[in-house]
């Protein structure tokens, strides 16, 4: 009887220990179950945001969850914004990253060919554009820059006119608020083919040529139709951004938006 009791107590102790160990292990696995941290662009301060975004978008890959939260897409456009203070040819200006009223492009030059009067661009952007427009011309095609560098005040005026006639919500889908326009960087160009209004650029031979060749000169289509949720802009077949040949080629080959490229490779 006594012996039996002792064996029973020992058994209870062993089973208890086993259960405690098992629970501990479970707890440990749960804590370490962080699928986001394998990416080099993972930010540990954002862990809760990743988890919450995953709940809202359960079908997205872990990589996309991390990238999109890093892009700030879990906040509405124009909230939780950040000022960009230095010019960089690969800078990102969008609905979360803005330029101050006094931001200057240090490399601004006039565009004296293939452009409307008074256009200005970053020098490398201008040189690449002229080269592209010349080659297009050799193929019987006309590329013309119709809107390039814009000042803060110009954009403020433009946006407020759109907002007045179309309402803020509509204006926000196609026009940037002042400071948030990529045109303020001197790295963006709106292009037409002279004969058709720019909003019909997608129906031109010039657009088809651009889709096949723009990356060879360092340009990307900045607001593609399948990236509206990321860029916050409707499809703009006329708006191109200079990023250099290497980056433009990578973006084209991998069908990325500039945001996706930027947050994977350039965001520190
Ligand atoms: Zn534009």
């Amino acid at each position: 009887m006594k012996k039996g009791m002792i064996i029973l107590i020992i058994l209870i102790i062993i089973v208890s220990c086993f259960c405690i160990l098992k629970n501990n292990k479970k707890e440990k696995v749960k804590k370490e179950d962080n699928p986001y941290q394998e990416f080099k662009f993972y930010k540990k301060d954002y862990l809760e945001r990743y988890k919450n975004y995953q709940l809202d978008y359960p079908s997205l890959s872990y990589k996309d969850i991390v990238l999109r939260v890093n892009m700030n897409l879990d906040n509405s456009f124009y909230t939780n914004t950040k000022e960009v203070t230095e010019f960089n040819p690969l800078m990102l200006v969008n609905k979360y990253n803005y330029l101050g009223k006094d931001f200057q492009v240090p490399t601004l030059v006039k565009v004296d060919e293939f452009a409307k009067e008074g256009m200005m661009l970053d020098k490398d952007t201008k040189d690449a554009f002229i080269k592209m427009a010349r080659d297009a011309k050799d193929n019987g095609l006309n590329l013309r820059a119709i809107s390039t560098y814009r000042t803060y005040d110009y954009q403020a005026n433009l946006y407020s006119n759109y907002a007045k006639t179309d309402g803020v919500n509509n204006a926000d889908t196609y026009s940037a608020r002042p400071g948030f326009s990529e045109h303020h960087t001197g790295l963006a160009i709106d292009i037409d083919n002279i004969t058709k209004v720019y909003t019909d650029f997608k129906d031109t031979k010039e657009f088809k040529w651009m889709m096949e060749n723009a990356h060879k000169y360092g340009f990307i289509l900045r607001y593609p139709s399948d990236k509206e949720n990321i860029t916050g802009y409707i499809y703009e077949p006329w708006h191109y951004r200079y990023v250099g040949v290497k980056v433009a080629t990578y973006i084209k080959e991998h069908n990325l938006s500039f945001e996706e490229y930027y947050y994977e490779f350039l965001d520190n």
Side-chain angles (χ1 to χ4, degrees), residues 193-204:
N193 79 337
I194 303 173
T195 54
K196 268 197 155 100
V197 60
Y198 75 97
T199 46
D200 289 338
F201 189 60
K202 70 172 191 311
D203 303 322
T204 65

Side-chain angles (χ1 to χ4, degrees), residues 134-243:
R134 281 203 187 116
D135 287 354
K137 187 97 190 160
D138 289 344
N139 286 283
L141 302 168
N142 292 309
L143 297 180
R144 176 176 66 162
I146 56 163
S147 185
T148 49
Y149 168 74
R150 291 179 198 158
T151 63
Y152 184 98
D153 290 338
Y154 182 93
Q155 188 68 31
N157 194 30
L158 196 66
Y159 175 80
S160 101
N161 283 339
Y162 285 135
K164 256 181 231 155
T165 54
D166 221 359
V168 164
N169 288 344
N170 283 332
D172 276 340
T173 66
Y174 60 83
S175 181
R177 296 185 187 179
F180 295 84
S181 172
E182 198 175 55
H183 284 282
H184 195 168
T185 65
L187 302 162
I189 318 178
D190 291 341
I191 293 175
D192 78 357
N193 79 337
I194 303 173
T195 54
K196 268 197 155 100
V197 60
Y198 75 97
T199 46
D200 289 338
F201 189 60
K202 70 172 191 311
D203 303 322
T204 65
K205 286 185 297 213
E206 283 80 2
F207 174 68
K208 197 168 170 268
W209 187 87
M210 287 287 286
M211 286 299 88
E212 285 157 16
N213 298 288
H215 66 286
K216 297 174 193 165
Y217 303 89
F219 288 96
I220 56 166
L221 178 73
R222 183 65 178 84
Y223 306 118
S225 58
D226 58 343
K227 303 289 182 184
E228 290 180 4
N229 291 337
I230 291 175
T231 65
Y233 287 99
I234 52 164
Y235 180 37
E236 293 195 2
W238 57 87
H239 182 112
Y240 295 85
R241 161 69 193 264
Y242 182 70
V243 290

Side-chain angles (χ1 to χ4, degrees), residues 28-44:
K28 232 179 173 179
V29 168
K30 221 175 169 184
K31 269 185 194 153
E32 280 169 9
D33 189 19
N34 176 352
Y36 314 109
Q37 66 187 350
E38 67 167 286
F39 305 103
K40 66 180 189 314
F41 39 85
Y42 166 77
K43 296 180 180 179
K44 70 175 189 306

